Amino acid sequence: DKVLIHPSAASDTRPENTVVSAPKGWYDAGDYNKYVVNSGITMGTLMSAYERFPEYFVAQSLNIPESDNTLPDILDEVRYNLEWLAAMQDPSDGGVYHKLTTAGFEGMVAAHKATQPRYMVQKTTAAALDFAAVMAQAARVYAPYSEEESRKHREAAIGAWQWAEQHPAVTYRQDVLNETFDPDVTTGAYGDEQLDDERLWAAAELYLATGDKYFWSVVAAATPAYSLPNWADVRWLGYYSLLAHKDKMPPGSGTWRSTIEKQLIAAARELRSDGEQSAYRVPMVSDPGLFVWGSNAVAANQGILFLEAFRITGDSSFLRSAEATRDYLLGRNATGFSYVTGFGRKTPRHPHHRLAAARPDLPPLPGFLV
């Protein structure tokens, strides 16, 4: 709750070293910083999971402090990050700070010992558009529970979109930033410079949130070639949402929707074929290039594609491919390890995560996808 405005983010209303508050939120995968761009796909995925399977999540209790309220626990968890995310928007102009971070990474210490000064760093277009998409989706998802909360999310989304339209190419270049401002910032950059996908996702969610035909015109003008979502490529999060809400599509959009569905199904068929060549029945092991930093997210997003293809076609082979992907993540892989901490007979002990590294004598907290 004591965060400094970094000189890269300074403005007339918030000069350098202004103290602001931005509690709650989720740490990034391996450190104690909080990044707007990387939390975008996480938030979108969780809210979409709820939208696809509401009966499951309504009935699920996670034994969290909010479990007794009227909101499904998954939405309580999402709200914890939403409340932080809202604080990352400058109320004076609608722009969104790229990240909340220490200047350098903290050591492998417990969270309460991570006491370096924390900063709001430079507003960027990618952050504003990811924020707009998440807030617009939240306006839809939370509307049945609180119209007031829904309205606030929608207004925040529109404000961030308007800032991005006025600043369409403000990218985060950390090395350049460090040549100009002190202190130098050396934590995760998430410096995405391809912004068409963020703009498409934000427009799709804002169209569903507002019904404004302008946002639909942005969506309809885009090229729909399929690409598997990742933090830097979120275009298809927008398409997934549109396909799941066909009733909100404008009149005469049937041909457009059919084109999108064909792209998705063709990509799922290709992945399914790749998986069928593997003893593990998953496409991950068909291409060493898929084993990037965070490769289990690649596998999980492949599984989501299979589920989306199953929803459209009813073809049970896509469902089996999704199940095989789940099994791969839970231990049916070349290592025999479950890739979820605390789950399975062989479970990871040393994930790249400061909360785990700070207490090496104890098993890591359960439930992390390594």
Side-chain angles (χ1 to χ4, degrees), residues 40-50 74 137 201 237 301 304:
I41 187 172
T42 312
M43 299 285 278
T45 301
L46 282 172
M47 286 189 284
S48 293
Y50 170 75
I74 189 175
Q137 188 176 6
W201 182 30
L237 299 184
N301 278 302
I304 290 171

Side-chain angles (χ1 to χ4, degrees), residues 249-271:
M249 302 279 274
S253 61
T255 300
W256 179 90
R257 189 181 77 236
S258 177
T259 300
I260 295 293
E261 289 178 342
K262 287 176 181 176
Q263 291 274 1
L264 187 155
I265 294 165
R269 283 175 177 157
E270 183 177 352
L271 270 185

Side-chain angles (χ1 to χ4, degrees), residues 33-282:
N33 302 310
K34 296 183 278 191
Y35 304 89
V36 170
V37 169
N38 198 30
S39 81
I41 187 172
T42 312
M43 299 285 278
T45 301
L46 282 172
M47 286 189 284
S48 293
Y50 170 75
E51 287 192 285
R52 300 302 186 277
F53 308 104
E55 297 86 357
Y56 171 77
F57 287 110
V58 166
Q60 185 186 53
S61 177
L62 298 177
N63 191 28
I64 59 176
E66 301 88 353
S67 287
D68 292 334
N69 68 12
T70 59
L71 207 62
D73 283 0
I74 189 175
L75 296 187
D76 279 315
E77 189 60 45
V78 169
R79 181 190 272 168
Y80 196 83
N81 201 63
L82 273 174
E83 292 180 357
W84 161 73
L85 197 61
M88 295 299 288
Q89 184 174 41
D90 185 343
S92 69
D93 63 7
V96 180
Y97 303 107
H98 195 74
K99 57 180 176 175
L100 190 166
T101 181
T102 49
F105 287 115
E106 289 277 8
M108 294 294 185
V109 298
H112 66 283
K113 296 181 180 178
T115 57
Q116 295 180 40
R118 306 170 76 77
Y119 297 91
M120 298 281 204
V121 181
Q122 185 191 357
K123 298 169 192 171
T124 65
T125 308
L129 290 171
D130 277 318
F131 177 101
V134 167
M135 288 296 177
Q137 188 176 6
R140 179 176 75 244
V141 170
Y142 287 82
Y145 298 96
S146 170
E147 183 53 43
E148 175 65 13
E149 187 172 357
S150 175
R151 180 189 60 79
K152 288 181 179 178
H153 295 328
R154 186 165 51 249
E155 290 176 353
I158 292 170
W161 173 272
Q162 291 171 342
W163 187 93
E165 290 288 270
Q166 295 163 6
H167 306 84
V170 180
T171 56
Y172 187 74
R173 298 179 178 178
Q174 193 155 272
D175 291 343
V176 175
L177 180 146
N178 288 339
E179 292 173 359
T180 308
F181 302 106
D182 291 317
D184 285 2
V185 177
T186 57
T187 53
Y190 294 109
D192 186 7
E193 299 196 12
Q194 301 299 319
L195 303 174
D196 289 348
D197 56 297
E198 283 84 6
R199 190 165 186 264
L200 182 286
W201 182 30
E205 300 293 356
L206 276 161
Y207 171 72
L208 292 173
T210 67
D212 188 325
K213 293 180 180 178
Y214 170 71
F215 295 119
W216 174 253
S217 71
V218 174
V219 172
T223 303
Y226 185 81
S227 56
L228 193 75
N230 62 67
W231 70 264
D233 187 351
V234 292
R235 183 186 312 274
W236 274 81
L237 299 184
Y239 291 143
Y240 287 169
S241 286
L242 290 165
L243 292 176
H245 294 277
K246 296 177 183 178
D247 58 316
K248 294 186 178 181
M249 302 279 274
S253 61
T255 300
W256 179 90
R257 189 181 77 236
S258 177
T259 300
I260 295 293
E261 289 178 342
K262 287 176 181 176
Q263 291 274 1
L264 187 155
I265 294 165
R269 283 175 177 157
E270 183 177 352
L271 270 185
R272 181 182 63 190
S273 177
D274 290 343
E276 288 171 349
Q277 311 307 312
S278 156
Y280 300 102
R281 314 302 290 171
V282 289

Side-chain angles (χ1 to χ4, degrees), residues 11-33:
S11 65
D12 291 341
T13 55
R14 287 183 167 182
E16 176 183 349
N17 288 332
T18 298
V19 178
V20 296
S21 179
K24 299 190 175 182
W26 302 326
Y27 297 136
D28 200 44
D31 60 64
Y32 291 137
N33 302 310

